[in-house]
Amino acid sequence: MALKATSIDIAYRAGVSQSTVSRALRNSPLVNLETRERIQSIAKELNYKVDKNASNLRTQNCKTIALLLCEDPTNDDSLINPFFLSMLGSITRATAQQGYDLLVSFQQLSSDWHGDYEDSNKADGIILLGYGDYLDYESKLEKLLEQNTHFVIWGAEHNNKSVLSIGCDNFQGGLIATEHLLDQGRRQPAFLGDSSSHSPEFRDRYLGHSRAMKQAGLPLNKKRQFSAISTEASGFEAANKLLDSGLAFDSIFAASDLIAIGAIRALKELGISVPEQVSIVGYDDIPVASFANPPLTTVKQNTQLAGEILVESVLKLIKGEAVKAQLIPTKLIVRESTRPLGIQLNS
Amino acid sequence: MALKATSIDIAYRAGVSQSTVSRALRNSPLVNLETRERIQSIAKELNYKVDKNASNLRTQNCKTIALLLCEDPTNDDSLINPFFLSMLGSITRATAQQGYDLLVSFQQLSSDWHGDYEDSNKADGIILLGYGDYLDYESKLEKLLEQNTHFVIWGAEHNNKSVLSIGCDNFQGGLIATEHLLDQGRRQPAFLGDSSSHSPEFRDRYLGHSRAMKQAGLPLNKKRQFSAISTEASGFEAANKLLDSGLAFDSIFAASDLIAIGAIRALKELGISVPEQVSIVGYDDIPVASFANPPLTTVKQNTQLAGEILVESVLKLIKGEAVKAQLIPTKLIVRESTRPLGIQLNS
DNA sequence: CTGAAAGCGCTTACAG
DNA sequence: CTGAAAGCGCTTACAG
């Protein structure tokens, strides 16, 4: 491999000092325009690139954000919630737009990652995208706070107000999903998903659901809530529990699309038709949602916007600017898994 | 933010020289065990982390791999082929296992990324995961070669033998998919997917398909091949062209699951039943495949293994060891979109 | 507008 | 086993 060109090589060829080369490459107006252009063209010719390690060491920042995907160790690759992958896409893009690099790491909850990034100057700040049990990594967050790490976390608002969280408005999402079911004449929606503080996002969706019931003057039957984590299998299981319970229900609000898809399978196996007998709304609008059978009505989170805001927020944190938690609005995507009660299509 | 501790701070507290601290932290046997342990405990206490920029600058490597996802600019986030996201997961894991960091970037084909990573010492090597038109970035690869960059590319074997490619055995995949259809008594399989050198992976799947036909002594009707890129919409369109063509066919081998899913939709719209009238095999085993209706028989690529081999290969390249192109075997996953001809299930 | 010089925080040959 | 010293390749205050 040919030796890498350094700023000194360029200085030599250009007949100027190394300092001038450095200035010229950063396009400093201090350097005579003509000299600047000459230096830049020599740099191009030599295929010169500024050594990041050297410049970062000097400036003490590294223009890099670390993204930690904290996952449940029981999950295998193929089970990664597609929603997170979509977030990953938008975060990558947003980071690049800001001229930063993105270091990605999948972390087991168990591993000792706190501080591993910013303290070693590998990243200027951290974005945490977590799934799995929320309470499990509370203590890690505390440590990050202690160490004054710049980080934001995706999800519901945190108990500790110093933790900056950015998330979609799960309460509103739960509200509009349920309102949609009620608007279509459903009166007994079941909720599939954890509603405890272990999954604050699901819990907020459930709270929105409850609010919608209340607004409509309908009683909320807490028994019609069945816990589930965000997998198809768990949704299938939860739906079966609902069916076995013997409780009356005319619709389902599933806390995630995967849960909804599992629920549809459970209903189909018993010959219950969706949406005629039971309407179903999911959450996330993952790619599968539109291919489900029937295509799933769901609450879409704006991952594009979410990624941008996450990145913007860490960047502000890094610059020492004030940032506050934000809730990103959600949108209902109506497809064929919900239908007004009593209306029969002739097909 | 509290000032970050440096090795000098530790040296001061430990009453030794900074050199000794550096050695002790790297667990050098040169340092007296007792001293070593004392230094390490002080480091822990101070929450000291080696500054990566400084150590990388010194050692001239950075223990980082860059992953470039080269995408078709027309795609939006949600359309990223789920297969690539699964690869991303396994690559992240494999990189971490080797003690390396992963820098991820989504790159437009248009942008000027060659050399942007290794030349600037941001990464020691590059993994290229591309989708979109293959021929478009040939020239970029040439440049990377010129610059002696350490890189591997996911996909079919490359014309230029100096380019190290790692990929699943697409020929074998096409072969087993088609053999499966023929074994079940199908005689006129159509192929949906590009078969030109613009998409060498699809082309190889088509070649495997052709081989299976030949082995079975069946004529290959080239008209039964309809181009498609890996999206549901394109699969839908290609299937409609097939239907419009009036050509007889009793089964479809789709070059990707997304194409297969689009094709199923097209068939259903015309009331053609899958698998009774037309059997369909897809490719990739993306998460959606098992939720499709009917669940899709498909060729699974071992992404876990693929990620490991990709990472291992760049690492070897970096160390200057010899590496050669590898083909990873594929596996047929039989689900309900294929069924032996003539057998009727009473359901 | 330009240059000489210091220094970011490490690692490692060299000397003892 | 340990220390003094050089140096990785930059950026930037200082001086002119």
Side-chain angles (χ1 to χ4, degrees):
Chain A
M1 174 140 69
L3 237 43
K4 231 158 254 176
T6 69
S7 54
I8 295 197
D9 300 326
I10 298 176
Y12 178 79
R13 296 214 187 194
V16 296
S17 74
Q18 184 266 333
S19 335
T20 301
V21 170
S22 178
R23 289 196 192 92
L25 293 174
R26 330 194 79 240
N27 225 339
S28 159
L30 283 175
V31 179
N32 180 291
L33 182 62
E34 208 177 307
T35 326
R36 222 190 299 166
E37 282 171 350
R38 186 158 45 90
I39 291 173
Q40 288 173 355
S41 85
I42 293 176
K44 196 166 223 166
E45 198 182 308
L46 294 187
N47 226 305
Y48 171 80
K49 292 277 160 22
V50 171
D51 184 301
K52 279 294 165 187
N53 289 135
S55 79
N56 290 343
L57 174 60
R58 184 53 234 248
T59 57
Q60 290 295 298
N61 73 354
C62 47
K63 292 280 229 171
T64 300
I65 302 288
L67 172 64
L68 302 192
L69 282 156
C70 304
E71 59 177 320
D72 198 321
T74 55
N75 280 344
D76 83 27
D77 285 352
S78 56
L79 290 176
I80 292 172
N81 190 328
F83 170 74
F84 286 97
L85 293 169
S86 153
M87 284 295 294
L88 186 125
S90 74
I91 290 173
T92 317
R93 240 174 275 272
T95 315
Q97 247 164 37
Q98 303 275 356
Y100 274 69
D101 285 319
L102 221 222
L103 216 47
V104 174
S105 185
F106 283 51
Q107 299 283 342
Q108 304 292 343
L109 279 176
S110 53
S111 70
D112 184 44
W113 43 263
H114 64 274
D116 224 29
Y117 287 86
E118 191 167 336
D119 275 354
S120 60
N121 270 333
K122 284 201 268 188
D124 300 317
I126 301 178
I127 296 174
L128 288 165
L129 254 182
Y131 41 114
D133 192 319
Y134 193 73
L135 297 178
D136 282 359
Y137 57 99
E138 286 272 315
S139 64
K140 307 246 180 181
L141 297 184
E142 297 293 339
K143 269 200 191 123
L144 285 177
L145 276 179
E146 257 174 48
Q147 299 168 216
N148 289 304
T149 305
H150 304 107
F151 73 101
V152 303
I153 172 165
W154 171 259
E157 206 165 330
H158 206 268
N159 301 327
N160 186 331
K161 294 302 172 200
S162 324
V163 172
L164 177 61
S165 66
I166 307 286
C168 281
D169 193 336
N170 292 294
F171 179 86
Q172 182 229 5
L175 184 71
I176 59 177
T178 309
E179 281 176 348
H180 172 67
L181 292 173
L182 302 179
D183 283 351
Q184 296 197 333
R186 309 286 166 165
R187 285 297 169 269
Q188 300 178 305
F191 180 87
L192 301 187
D194 192 1
S195 67
S196 77
S197 51
H198 287 266
S199 326
E201 304 187 67
F202 282 12
R203 181 201 56 204
D204 289 350
R205 292 170 199 177
Y206 183 66
L207 293 176
H209 169 78
S210 310
R211 169 69 62 85
M213 294 298 282
K214 197 174 170 189
Q215 280 179 359
L218 293 170
L220 177 73
N221 187 345
K222 284 193 177 158
K223 286 191 183 154
R224 279 202 300 258
Q225 178 268 323
F226 290 83
S227 283
I229 59 165
S230 193
T231 64
E232 201 262 353
S234 180
F236 179 74
E237 201 184 316
N240 276 323
K241 281 192 191 145
L242 166 62
L243 290 161
D244 291 346
S245 74
L247 288 164
F249 68 99
D250 56 12
S251 49
I252 291 174
F253 170 34
S256 84
D257 286 345
L258 290 175
I259 293 175
I261 289 168
I264 291 178
R265 178 159 64 94
L267 293 172
K268 273 192 190 163
E269 285 193 358
L270 289 179
I272 298 172
S273 64
V274 178
E276 292 78 0
Q277 290 173 271
V278 173
S279 273
I280 297 192
V281 184
Y283 208 104
D284 287 342
D285 195 27
I286 59 177
V288 195
S290 57
F291 304 146
N293 184 31
L296 207 56
T297 294
T298 187
V299 178
K300 186 185 179 67
Q301 313 200 49
N302 188 339
T303 53
Q304 185 90 30
L305 185 62
E308 283 166 19
I309 293 183
L310 277 170
V311 171
E312 245 169 51
S313 302
V314 226
L315 258 35
K316 277 189 184 161
L317 232 42
I318 292 168
K319 289 183 205 138
E321 296 172 18
V323 212
K324 45 184 187 210
Q326 276 191 60
L327 279 182
I328 299 161
T330 55
K331 205 173 101 186
L332 188 74
I333 308 286
V334 179
R335 298 205 182 87
E336 294 153 42
S337 68
T338 53
R339 183 182 295 174
L341 206 57
I343 296 186
Q344 297 290 335
L345 298 186
N346 20 313
S347 62
Chain B
M1 175 140 69
L3 237 44
K4 233 159 252 177
T6 70
S7 54
I8 295 196
D9 300 325
I10 297 178
Y12 180 78
R13 298 212 186 195
V16 296
S17 75
Q18 184 265 334
S19 335
T20 301
V21 170
S22 179
R23 289 196 192 94
L25 292 173
R26 328 194 80 240
N27 225 340
S28 160
L30 283 174
V31 179
N32 179 291
L33 182 62
E34 208 177 307
T35 326
R36 221 191 298 167
E37 282 171 350
R38 186 158 46 90
I39 291 173
Q40 288 173 354
S41 85
I42 294 175
K44 198 168 223 168
E45 197 182 309
L46 294 186
N47 226 306
Y48 171 81
K49 293 276 163 17
V50 171
D51 184 300
K52 279 294 165 187
N53 289 135
S55 78
N56 291 342
L57 174 59
R58 185 50 235 249
T59 58
Q60 291 294 301
N61 72 354
C62 47
K63 294 281 234 169
T64 299
I65 301 288
L67 171 65
L68 302 192
L69 281 157
C70 303
E71 60 178 318
D72 198 318
T74 54
N75 279 344
D76 84 29
D77 285 349
S78 55
L79 291 177
I80 292 171
N81 190 327
F83 171 74
F84 285 98
L85 292 170
S86 154
M87 285 295 294
L88 186 126
S90 74
I91 290 173
T92 316
R93 240 174 276 271
T95 315
Q97 247 163 37
Q98 303 275 356
Y100 273 68
D101 285 319
L102 219 222
L103 216 47
V104 174
S105 185
F106 282 50
Q107 300 282 342
Q108 305 292 343
L109 279 176
S110 52
S111 69
D112 184 43
W113 44 265
H114 64 273
D116 223 27
Y117 287 87
E118 192 166 338
D119 276 353
S120 59
N121 271 333
K122 284 200 268 188
D124 301 317
I126 301 178
I127 295 175
L128 288 165
L129 254 182
Y131 39 117
D133 192 321
Y134 194 73
L135 296 178
D136 282 358
Y137 57 99
E138 287 273 317
S139 64
K140 307 244 180 180
L141 296 184
E142 298 292 339
K143 268 198 189 127
L144 284 177
L145 276 179
E146 257 174 48
Q147 300 168 215
N148 288 305
T149 305
H150 305 107
F151 73 102
V152 303
I153 173 165
W154 171 259
E157 206 166 329
H158 207 268
N159 302 328
N160 186 331
K161 294 300 174 200
S162 325
V163 172
L164 177 60
S165 65
I166 306 287
C168 280
D169 192 336
N170 291 295
F171 179 86
Q172 182 229 6
L175 182 71
I176 60 177
T178 309
E179 281 175 349
H180 172 68
L181 292 172
L182 301 179
D183 282 350
Q184 295 198 332
R186 309 286 166 166
R187 284 296 170 268
Q188 301 178 305
F191 180 89
L192 302 187
D194 193 1
S195 67
S196 77
S197 51
H198 286 266
S199 326
E201 304 188 66
F202 283 10
R203 180 202 57 205
D204 289 351
R205 292 170 197 177
Y206 184 65
L207 292 176
H209 169 79
S210 310
R211 169 67 63 85
M213 294 297 284
K214 198 173 171 192
Q215 280 179 0
L218 293 170
L220 176 75
N221 186 344
K222 284 194 179 160
K223 284 190 185 156
R224 280 202 299 260
Q225 179 268 323
F226 289 82
S227 283
I229 60 165
S230 192
T231 65
E232 201 263 353
S234 180
F236 179 75
E237 201 184 317
N240 276 324
K241 280 192 191 143
L242 167 62
L243 290 161
D244 292 345
S245 74
L247 287 164
F249 68 100
D250 56 13
S251 50
I252 291 175
F253 170 33
S256 84
D257 286 344
L258 290 175
I259 295 175
I261 288 168
I264 291 178
R265 178 160 64 94
L267 293 173
K268 274 192 186 163
E269 285 193 359
L270 290 179
I272 298 171
S273 64
V274 178
E276 292 78 1
Q277 290 173 272
V278 173
S279 272
I280 298 193
V281 183
Y283 209 105
D284 287 342
D285 195 27
I286 60 177
V288 195
S290 57
F291 304 146
N293 186 29
L296 208 56
T297 293
T298 186
V299 178
K300 186 185 181 66
Q301 315 199 45
N302 189 339
T303 52
Q304 185 89 29
L305 185 62
E308 282 164 20
I309 294 183
L310 277 169
V311 171
E312 246 170 50
S313 303
V314 227
L315 257 36
K316 277 189 186 162
L317 232 41
I318 293 169
K319 290 185 205 134
E321 296 171 20
V323 213
K324 45 183 189 217
Q326 276 192 60
L327 279 182
I328 299 161
T330 55
K331 206 173 99 185
L332 189 74
I333 307 287
V334 179
R335 298 205 182 88
E336 295 154 40
S337 67
T338 52
R339 183 183 294 176
L341 206 58
I343 296 187
Q344 297 291 332
L345 298 186
N346 21 314
S347 63

